Amino acid sequence: MPRTKRTRVNSDESRSAKKLKRSNSGTLDYMAQIQTALGIKQNMEGNENAVEHSSAVLTSTSNVKKDKDAIEHTPIALGSISDKLLSIEQELCTKLQDITFPSVIQYIYNPLEYASETHAMYVHKYCTGEKKVLFVGMNPGPWGMSQTGVPFGEINMVRNWLKICGPVKSPSKEHPDRKVTGFECTRSEISGLRLWGLFRNLCGSPENFFRHAYMHNYCPLAFMDARARNITPAELKGGQKILHEACDKALIDIIQLLKVEIIVGIGNYAEKRAQIAVQTGGLPNIQVMVLRHPSPRAVGNQNWNETAMQRLDELGLLKFFEKADV
């Protein structure tokens, strides 16, 4: 009787998928960045970590296992809403680090890591309480959040209107045509300029916008192919299911944390994911709406400001963005 021929997995096939991963030390470095941005002092003695934050001392243990995929993280101190939101994002980044993406994805940028300081500034400055309205974008743009760590973070709007500026590091692997230079970047992200410009005109000051609202991106990762072509989460052909599950969970947690009543998806993809998150999370009282994406590449988007103003009026949202009485 002939023997069954054994097959061997081709090594090229095993390398056909791109995996976003970090070593144990890399993951712990990221945790240290977040903790530093939060102003947390950490002293380690044996297996006990004494975390001091806002005069409160929390004790936890951290055990890094030999298996590189089994890492028990030391939680950051949870006090304010902003700290809790950063913790949700930290947990999301941990889940995303081992997702296997298709080989066409050659570059993955995560500004929550290399721009952790300015991102934490944004969260601490503008997410200090509950929010009625949550605006949800898709993922970082190459000249916006990828440079500043702020959703739709066009350089001048972030620096001059939101009053956020600080050091930004570089991704571990950069495309030469998509260098991260932080606030030295000379390119302008038109989508962010349009979106934040709209609310600057409506609200006058950032405080008037963030009094009732917050701006958040559904997915913290930016994807590119070998030619630096942007690949959106909606275009992913592999790893999308796990990505969606992780990002949906984080969005649900943020909705509940901020006690959001209305979600406005910026673009159809963000609206769809918000709808799914609301259904999955059992949040039937949350209203989900959509605002046309401000991308200049979209057909018929030349008069985006006028269209967006009309849409906000139709949705009954303009009342949340009135300028404060002088």
Side-chain angles (χ1 to χ4, degrees):
M1 182 175 178
R3 296 176 61 185
T4 302
K5 185 177 181 180
R6 298 177 63 185
T7 59
R8 179 179 298 174
V9 177
N10 191 303
S11 61
D12 291 337
E13 293 177 356
S14 67
R15 290 194 295 267
S16 65
K18 177 72 177 175
K19 193 170 187 179
L20 172 64
K21 61 183 179 179
R22 290 186 293 272
S23 65
N24 289 356
S25 60
T27 303
L28 296 176
D29 286 345
Y30 168 54
M31 292 169 58
Q33 290 173 20
I34 291 293
Q35 291 168 344
T36 300
L38 293 177
I40 298 172
K41 296 179 180 179
Q42 187 175 42
N43 295 316
M44 298 184 65
E45 183 175 352
N47 287 331
E48 294 186 352
N49 301 317
V51 181
E52 298 178 6
H53 187 239
S54 302
S55 302
V57 179
L58 301 178
T59 303
S60 61
T61 60
S62 177
N63 178 30
V64 181
K65 299 180 180 180
K66 293 182 180 180
D67 183 352
K68 67 178 181 180
D69 293 322
I71 301 175
E72 183 178 345
H73 297 292
T74 303
I76 61 176
L78 297 181
S80 66
I81 283 180
S82 56
D83 288 353
K84 292 177 181 178
L85 190 143
L86 285 169
S87 181
I88 292 169
E89 293 181 327
Q90 177 183 327
E91 182 180 354
L92 173 60
C93 289
T94 301
K95 291 179 180 178
L96 297 180
Q97 68 184 5
D98 286 325
I99 295 180
T100 299
F101 294 105
S103 59
V104 68
I105 304 296
Q106 290 293 308
Y107 298 87
I108 301 174
Y109 289 10
N110 186 351
L112 298 192
E113 291 183 342
Y114 61 79
S116 60
E117 187 168 336
T118 49
H119 178 72
M121 288 180 192
Y122 168 72
V123 175
H124 272 133
K125 189 170 186 176
Y126 294 120
C127 192
T128 58
E130 298 172 2
K131 307 290 184 180
K132 289 185 179 294
V133 184
L134 179 65
F135 287 89
V136 178
M138 181 164 49
N139 71 320
W143 313 117
M145 186 172 180
S146 290
Q147 301 292 332
T148 64
V150 175
F152 290 91
E154 194 271 341
I155 304 290
N156 291 315
M157 293 302 299
V158 173
R159 181 195 290 118
N160 300 327
W161 193 57
L162 297 179
K163 304 298 183 183
I164 292 173
C165 190
V168 175
K169 298 179 181 179
S170 300
S172 57
K173 180 183 178 183
E174 279 187 298
H175 193 287
D177 293 335
R178 292 292 184 271
K179 289 284 188 180
V180 172
T181 56
F183 288 83
E184 295 180 3
C185 179
T186 58
R187 297 284 296 268
S188 175
E189 183 174 88
I190 304 303
S191 295
L193 184 62
R194 285 178 168 180
L195 186 63
W196 286 118
L198 171 70
F199 291 115
R200 179 185 60 184
N201 294 337
L202 278 174
C203 302
S205 70
E207 288 73 21
N208 287 337
F209 172 80
F210 289 103
R211 183 171 47 185
H212 299 297
Y214 186 68
M215 190 77 67
H216 174 71
N217 263 338
Y218 171 76
C219 173
L221 306 181
F223 305 97
M224 287 172 285
D225 65 13
R227 296 181 297 173
R229 183 178 67 89
N230 184 52
I231 298 175
T232 69
E235 297 170 321
L236 289 175
K237 303 301 182 183
Q240 192 183 64
K241 183 177 183 294
I242 303 175
L243 176 80
H244 282 165
E245 288 175 352
C247 292
D248 286 353
K249 174 61 167 58
L251 181 57
I252 291 168
D253 289 344
I254 290 173
I255 292 168
Q256 293 175 324
L257 172 67
L258 302 182
K259 293 181 169 51
V260 172
E261 298 176 10
I262 300 168
I263 301 175
V264 181
I266 302 173
N268 294 329
Y269 173 84
E271 180 208 14
K272 179 181 178 181
R273 296 317 311 173
Q275 290 278 14
I276 292 173
V278 165
Q279 294 170 7
T280 303
L283 305 170
N285 296 325
I286 307 295
Q287 299 180 66
V288 179
M289 307 172 177
V290 64
L291 182 68
R292 187 181 178 92
H293 196 284
S295 171
R297 294 182 296 176
V299 178
N301 233 12
Q302 293 85 353
N303 298 320
W304 181 85
N305 268 42
E306 296 176 14
T307 303
M309 280 284 290
Q310 182 179 351
R311 180 62 175 164
L312 291 175
D313 189 24
E314 292 171 353
L315 297 175
L317 297 179
L318 286 179
K319 62 186 178 184
F320 294 116
F321 307 112
E322 297 173 350
K323 295 180 181 179
D325 295 333
V326 179

PDB file of all heavy atoms in Angstrom, residues 35 77 84 86-87 109 120 126 136 150 159 196 213 242 262 285 303 307 311 326:
ATOM      1  N   GLN A  35       2.580  55.828  30.770  1.00  0.00           N
ATOM      2  CA  GLN A  35       2.633  56.176  32.184  1.00  0.00           C
ATOM      3  C   GLN A  35       3.369  57.492  32.401  1.00  0.00           C
ATOM      4  O   GLN A  35       2.990  58.299  33.244  1.00  0.00           O
ATOM      5  CB  GLN A  35       3.293  55.041  32.968  1.00  0.00           C
ATOM      6  CG  GLN A  35       2.405  53.797  33.018  1.00  0.00           C
ATOM      7  CD  GLN A  35       3.133  52.574  33.518  1.00  0.00           C
ATOM      8  OE1 GLN A  35       4.358  52.552  33.552  1.00  0.00           O
ATOM      9  NE2 GLN A  35       2.388  51.560  33.913  1.00  0.00           N
ATOM     10  N   ALA A  77      -2.698  53.820  36.550  1.00  0.00           N
ATOM     11  CA  ALA A  77      -3.588  54.293  37.600  1.00  0.00           C
ATOM     12  C   ALA A  77      -4.856  54.858  36.990  1.00  0.00           C
ATOM     13  O   ALA A  77      -4.811  55.626  36.044  1.00  0.00           O
ATOM     14  CB  ALA A  77      -2.878  55.364  38.427  1.00  0.00           C
ATOM     15  N   LYS A  84      -8.834  56.886  32.358  1.00  0.00           N
ATOM     16  CA  LYS A  84      -9.546  55.659  32.002  1.00  0.00           C
ATOM     17  C   LYS A  84      -9.630  55.495  30.488  1.00  0.00           C
ATOM     18  O   LYS A  84      -9.515  54.384  29.969  1.00  0.00           O
ATOM     19  CB  LYS A  84     -10.944  55.671  32.619  1.00  0.00           C
ATOM     20  CG  LYS A  84     -10.932  55.567  34.140  1.00  0.00           C
ATOM     21  CD  LYS A  84     -12.334  55.663  34.722  1.00  0.00           C
ATOM     22  CE  LYS A  84     -12.291  55.587  36.243  1.00  0.00           C
ATOM     23  NZ  LYS A  84     -13.639  55.729  36.851  1.00  0.00           N
ATOM     24  N   LEU A  86      -7.436  56.622  28.308  1.00  0.00           N
ATOM     25  CA  LEU A  86      -6.100  56.210  27.874  1.00  0.00           C
ATOM     26  C   LEU A  86      -5.854  54.734  28.170  1.00  0.00           C
ATOM     27  O   LEU A  86      -5.189  54.034  27.402  1.00  0.00           O
ATOM     28  CB  LEU A  86      -5.036  57.073  28.556  1.00  0.00           C
ATOM     29  CG  LEU A  86      -4.897  58.502  28.021  1.00  0.00           C
ATOM     30  CD1 LEU A  86      -4.009  59.329  28.937  1.00  0.00           C
ATOM     31  CD2 LEU A  86      -4.342  58.509  26.604  1.00  0.00           C
ATOM     32  N   SER A  87      -6.399  54.256  29.274  1.00  0.00           N
ATOM     33  CA  SER A  87      -6.253  52.845  29.616  1.00  0.00           C
ATOM     34  C   SER A  87      -6.990  51.954  28.618  1.00  0.00           C
ATOM     35  O   SER A  87      -6.492  50.893  28.227  1.00  0.00           O
ATOM     36  CB  SER A  87      -6.789  52.597  31.028  1.00  0.00           C
ATOM     37  OG  SER A  87      -6.649  51.241  31.392  1.00  0.00           O
ATOM     38  N   TYR A 109       1.536  52.246  11.044  1.00  0.00           N
ATOM     39  CA  TYR A 109       1.864  53.322  11.977  1.00  0.00           C
ATOM     40  C   TYR A 109       0.835  53.340  13.108  1.00  0.00           C
ATOM     41  O   TYR A 109      -0.368  53.279  12.851  1.00  0.00           O
ATOM     42  CB  TYR A 109       1.824  54.684  11.278  1.00  0.00           C
ATOM     43  CG  TYR A 109       2.945  54.958  10.298  1.00  0.00           C
ATOM     44  CD1 TYR A 109       3.834  53.963   9.903  1.00  0.00           C
ATOM     45  CD2 TYR A 109       3.105  56.231   9.757  1.00  0.00           C
ATOM     46  CE1 TYR A 109       4.847  54.228   9.000  1.00  0.00           C
ATOM     47  CE2 TYR A 109       4.119  56.512   8.854  1.00  0.00           C
ATOM     48  CZ  TYR A 109       4.989  55.506   8.471  1.00  0.00           C
ATOM     49  OH  TYR A 109       5.992  55.774   7.569  1.00  0.00           O
ATOM     50  N   ALA A 120      -1.706  62.052  24.734  1.00  0.00           N
ATOM     51  CA  ALA A 120      -2.137  62.153  26.131  1.00  0.00           C
ATOM     52  C   ALA A 120      -2.479  63.600  26.494  1.00  0.00           C
ATOM     53  O   ALA A 120      -3.396  63.846  27.281  1.00  0.00           O
ATOM     54  CB  ALA A 120      -1.054  61.608  27.058  1.00  0.00           C
ATOM     55  N   TYR A 126      -8.911  67.723  26.904  1.00  0.00           N
ATOM     56  CA  TYR A 126     -10.250  67.876  26.341  1.00  0.00           C
ATOM     57  C   TYR A 126     -11.223  66.736  26.650  1.00  0.00           C
ATOM     58  O   TYR A 126     -12.381  66.798  26.240  1.00  0.00           O
ATOM     59  CB  TYR A 126     -10.145  68.053  24.828  1.00  0.00           C
ATOM     60  CG  TYR A 126      -9.458  69.341  24.441  1.00  0.00           C
ATOM     61  CD1 TYR A 126      -8.279  69.334  23.688  1.00  0.00           C
ATOM     62  CD2 TYR A 126      -9.977  70.573  24.836  1.00  0.00           C
ATOM     63  CE1 TYR A 126      -7.651  70.519  23.334  1.00  0.00           C
ATOM     64  CE2 TYR A 126      -9.351  71.761  24.491  1.00  0.00           C
ATOM     65  CZ  TYR A 126      -8.190  71.729  23.739  1.00  0.00           C
ATOM     66  OH  TYR A 126      -7.569  72.907  23.390  1.00  0.00           O
ATOM     67  N   VAL A 136     -16.805  60.158  15.566  1.00  0.00           N
ATOM     68  CA  VAL A 136     -15.928  59.010  15.353  1.00  0.00           C
ATOM     69  C   VAL A 136     -15.414  59.016  13.919  1.00  0.00           C
ATOM     70  O   VAL A 136     -16.196  58.940  12.968  1.00  0.00           O
ATOM     71  CB  VAL A 136     -16.660  57.683  15.640  1.00  0.00           C
ATOM     72  CG1 VAL A 136     -15.740  56.493  15.357  1.00  0.00           C
ATOM     73  CG2 VAL A 136     -17.144  57.644  17.085  1.00  0.00           C
ATOM     74  N   VAL A 150      -3.313  63.436  17.297  1.00  0.00           N
ATOM     75  CA  VAL A 150      -4.651  63.980  17.551  1.00  0.00           C
ATOM     76  C   VAL A 150      -5.565  63.611  16.383  1.00  0.00           C
ATOM     77  O   VAL A 150      -5.176  63.785  15.224  1.00  0.00           O
ATOM     78  CB  VAL A 150      -4.600  65.515  17.705  1.00  0.00           C
ATOM     79  CG1 VAL A 150      -6.002  66.100  17.852  1.00  0.00           C
ATOM     80  CG2 VAL A 150      -3.734  65.889  18.908  1.00  0.00           C
ATOM     81  N   ARG A 159      -1.778  72.895  16.675  1.00  0.00           N
ATOM     82  CA  ARG A 159      -0.863  73.795  17.371  1.00  0.00           C
ATOM     83  C   ARG A 159      -1.528  75.122  17.746  1.00  0.00           C
ATOM     84  O   ARG A 159      -1.402  75.596  18.880  1.00  0.00           O
ATOM     85  CB  ARG A 159       0.361  74.078  16.496  1.00  0.00           C
ATOM     86  CG  ARG A 159       1.375  75.001  17.167  1.00  0.00           C
ATOM     87  CD  ARG A 159       2.388  75.558  16.192  1.00  0.00           C
ATOM     88  NE  ARG A 159       3.312  74.536  15.715  1.00  0.00           N
ATOM     89  CZ  ARG A 159       3.419  74.160  14.442  1.00  0.00           C
ATOM     90  NH1 ARG A 159       2.636  74.719  13.523  1.00  0.00           N
ATOM     91  NH2 ARG A 159       4.287  73.243  14.083  1.00  0.00           N
ATOM     92  N   TRP A 196     -11.868  70.547  11.777  1.00  0.00           N
ATOM     93  CA  TRP A 196     -11.620  71.406  12.933  1.00  0.00           C
ATOM     94  C   TRP A 196     -11.923  72.862  12.600  1.00  0.00           C
ATOM     95  O   TRP A 196     -12.349  73.633  13.470  1.00  0.00           O
ATOM     96  CB  TRP A 196     -10.179  71.253  13.413  1.00  0.00           C
ATOM     97  CG  TRP A 196      -9.907  69.969  14.139  1.00  0.00           C
ATOM     98  CD1 TRP A 196      -9.041  68.982  13.775  1.00  0.00           C
ATOM     99  CD2 TRP A 196     -10.501  69.526  15.362  1.00  0.00           C
ATOM    100  NE1 TRP A 196      -9.055  67.954  14.681  1.00  0.00           N
ATOM    101  CE2 TRP A 196      -9.948  68.263  15.675  1.00  0.00           C
ATOM    102  CE3 TRP A 196     -11.452  70.068  16.226  1.00  0.00           C
ATOM    103  CZ2 TRP A 196     -10.303  67.539  16.806  1.00  0.00           C
ATOM    104  CZ3 TRP A 196     -11.821  69.350  17.361  1.00  0.00           C
ATOM    105  CH2 TRP A 196     -11.246  68.103  17.641  1.00  0.00           C
ATOM    106  N   ALA A 213     -18.843  67.654  23.421  1.00  0.00           N
ATOM    107  CA  ALA A 213     -18.447  66.693  22.385  1.00  0.00           C
ATOM    108  C   ALA A 213     -16.992  66.262  22.541  1.00  0.00           C
ATOM    109  O   ALA A 213     -16.208  66.879  23.267  1.00  0.00           O
ATOM    110  CB  ALA A 213     -18.664  67.307  21.000  1.00  0.00           C
ATOM    111  N   ILE A 242     -10.811  40.380  13.359  1.00  0.00           N
ATOM    112  CA  ILE A 242     -10.223  40.561  14.688  1.00  0.00           C
ATOM    113  C   ILE A 242     -10.038  42.044  14.984  1.00  0.00           C
ATOM    114  O   ILE A 242     -10.258  42.501  16.111  1.00  0.00           O
ATOM    115  CB  ILE A 242      -8.878  39.815  14.784  1.00  0.00           C
ATOM    116  CG1 ILE A 242      -9.072  38.334  14.467  1.00  0.00           C
ATOM    117  CG2 ILE A 242      -8.271  39.973  16.170  1.00  0.00           C
ATOM    118  CD1 ILE A 242      -7.786  37.537  14.427  1.00  0.00           C
ATOM    119  N   ILE A 262     -25.194  60.546  21.671  1.00  0.00           N
ATOM    120  CA  ILE A 262     -25.242  60.640  20.209  1.00  0.00           C
ATOM    121  C   ILE A 262     -23.856  60.347  19.643  1.00  0.00           C
ATOM    122  O   ILE A 262     -22.857  60.915  20.100  1.00  0.00           O
ATOM    123  CB  ILE A 262     -25.683  62.050  19.756  1.00  0.00           C
ATOM    124  CG1 ILE A 262     -27.073  62.379  20.299  1.00  0.00           C
ATOM    125  CG2 ILE A 262     -25.662  62.163  18.234  1.00  0.00           C
ATOM    126  CD1 ILE A 262     -27.453  63.844  20.138  1.00  0.00           C
ATOM    127  N   ASN A 285     -30.352  52.954  23.357  1.00  0.00           N
ATOM    128  CA  ASN A 285     -30.750  54.357  23.489  1.00  0.00           C
ATOM    129  C   ASN A 285     -29.765  55.328  22.842  1.00  0.00           C
ATOM    130  O   ASN A 285     -29.992  56.539  22.850  1.00  0.00           O
ATOM    131  CB  ASN A 285     -30.916  54.716  24.969  1.00  0.00           C
ATOM    132  CG  ASN A 285     -32.042  53.932  25.622  1.00  0.00           C
ATOM    133  OD1 ASN A 285     -33.063  53.655  24.986  1.00  0.00           O
ATOM    134  ND2 ASN A 285     -31.863  53.553  26.876  1.00  0.00           N
ATOM    135  N   ASN A 303     -17.851  71.936  -1.627  1.00  0.00           N
ATOM    136  CA  ASN A 303     -18.551  72.807  -0.671  1.00  0.00           C
ATOM    137  C   ASN A 303     -18.860  72.058   0.621  1.00  0.00           C
ATOM    138  O   ASN A 303     -19.966  72.141   1.155  1.00  0.00           O
ATOM    139  CB  ASN A 303     -19.851  73.332  -1.296  1.00  0.00           C
ATOM    140  CG  ASN A 303     -19.596  74.178  -2.526  1.00  0.00           C
ATOM    141  OD1 ASN A 303     -18.655  74.973  -2.561  1.00  0.00           O
ATOM    142  ND2 ASN A 303     -20.421  74.001  -3.548  1.00  0.00           N
ATOM    143  N   THR A 307     -22.250  72.046   3.259  1.00  0.00           N
ATOM    144  CA  THR A 307     -23.004  70.800   3.382  1.00  0.00           C
ATOM    145  C   THR A 307     -22.993  70.294   4.820  1.00  0.00           C
ATOM    146  O   THR A 307     -24.016  69.833   5.345  1.00  0.00           O
ATOM    147  CB  THR A 307     -22.406  69.722   2.458  1.00  0.00           C
ATOM    148  OG1 THR A 307     -22.390  70.202   1.112  1.00  0.00           O
ATOM    149  CG2 THR A 307     -23.211  68.436   2.522  1.00  0.00           C
ATOM    150  N   ARG A 311     -26.078  69.767   7.406  1.00  0.00           N
ATOM    151  CA  ARG A 311     -26.307  68.449   7.995  1.00  0.00           C
ATOM    152  C   ARG A 311     -26.403  68.532   9.518  1.00  0.00           C
ATOM    153  O   ARG A 311     -27.280  67.902  10.134  1.00  0.00           O
ATOM    154  CB  ARG A 311     -25.177  67.503   7.585  1.00  0.00           C
ATOM    155  CG  ARG A 311     -25.295  66.091   8.138  1.00  0.00           C
ATOM    156  CD  ARG A 311     -26.542  65.401   7.655  1.00  0.00           C
ATOM    157  NE  ARG A 311     -26.581  64.009   8.098  1.00  0.00           N
ATOM    158  CZ  ARG A 311     -27.674  63.261   8.093  1.00  0.00           C
ATOM    159  NH1 ARG A 311     -28.830  63.765   7.672  1.00  0.00           N
ATOM    160  NH2 ARG A 311     -27.627  62.007   8.501  1.00  0.00           N
ATOM    161  N   VAL A 326     -20.400  86.251  25.814  1.00  0.00           N
ATOM    162  CA  VAL A 326     -19.271  87.052  26.290  1.00  0.00           C
ATOM    163  C   VAL A 326     -19.752  88.008  27.373  1.00  0.00           C
ATOM    164  O   VAL A 326     -20.773  88.654  27.218  1.00  0.00           O
ATOM    165  CB  VAL A 326     -18.647  87.841  25.122  1.00  0.00           C
ATOM    166  CG1 VAL A 326     -17.486  88.677  25.636  1.00  0.00           C
ATOM    167  CG2 VAL A 326     -18.189  86.907  24.029  1.00  0.00           C
TER     168      VAL A 326
END
